[in-house]
Amino acid sequence: MATPSQPAPAATGAPAPVRRSRKIVLALAVLSTLAAAGGAAVFFMRGNAVLAAPAPKPVKPIFVTLEPLTVNVLPDARQRFLHVGLTLKVNDEKAQARVNEAMPELRSRLLLLLSNRDPAGLASLEDKLALADQIRTELNRPVAKGLPPQGIEGVGFTAFVLQ
């Protein structure tokens, strides 16, 4: 099978080129597998290190409940009233103390804000959400010049009756 221009592989003592290329391919496959395994190990170890870090402790919300209010709203064909209960979500204990100290002023502001309402503008969910935002803005105003805002984050309705 050997041709005159090529000597037989056994006669030269050199390994066959096919076997050398198989060894190279096998070596490259082993190296790439090890590299992939090492990369995966680093990836998962970093991921576990991030997951193992202690999560920040959630801040417990502080709520201040206001006594329910009943106010007359703008009359249409008949006399109408609004009965509303509110809970205020505040930033911290200092804000809670400021709200409790200023409660008479805040209730007065709330009565004035609610009594100047059109009953038709209080019917939909969007109207109630807008009202809650207006209440938060109004009650957050400082009660006196030089004092900080009340620190109210949100307003929640616990009762809402329009008759």
Side-chain angles (χ1 to χ4, degrees), residues 14-113:
V18 175
R19 291 184 183 223
R20 180 179 294 164
S21 65
R22 282 187 186 169
K23 286 182 181 179
I24 292 173
V25 169
L26 182 61
L28 288 175
V30 169
L31 286 175
S32 64
T33 303
L34 288 175
V42 169
F43 174 77
F44 287 116
M45 289 181 129
R46 282 189 181 171
N48 288 340
V50 171
L51 294 176
K57 187 175 182 180
V59 178
K60 184 178 177 184
I62 300 172
F63 296 101
V64 178
T65 303
L66 276 65
E67 291 181 31
L69 301 166
T70 304
V71 296
N72 291 327
V73 293
L74 294 175
D76 45 12
R78 59 191 168 114
Q79 188 67 16
R80 307 218 30 193
F81 70 90
L82 173 67
H83 177 80
V84 65
L86 297 172
T87 299
L88 307 177
K89 183 178 179 181
V90 294
N91 295 336
D92 52 22
E93 286 86 13
K94 290 180 183 178
Q96 182 182 21
R98 283 193 303 270
V99 166
N100 286 330
E101 289 172 3
M103 190 58 72
E105 171 76 20
L106 299 181
R107 285 182 62 84
S108 175
R109 288 182 189 179
L110 189 57
L111 285 169
L112 292 173
L113 180 70

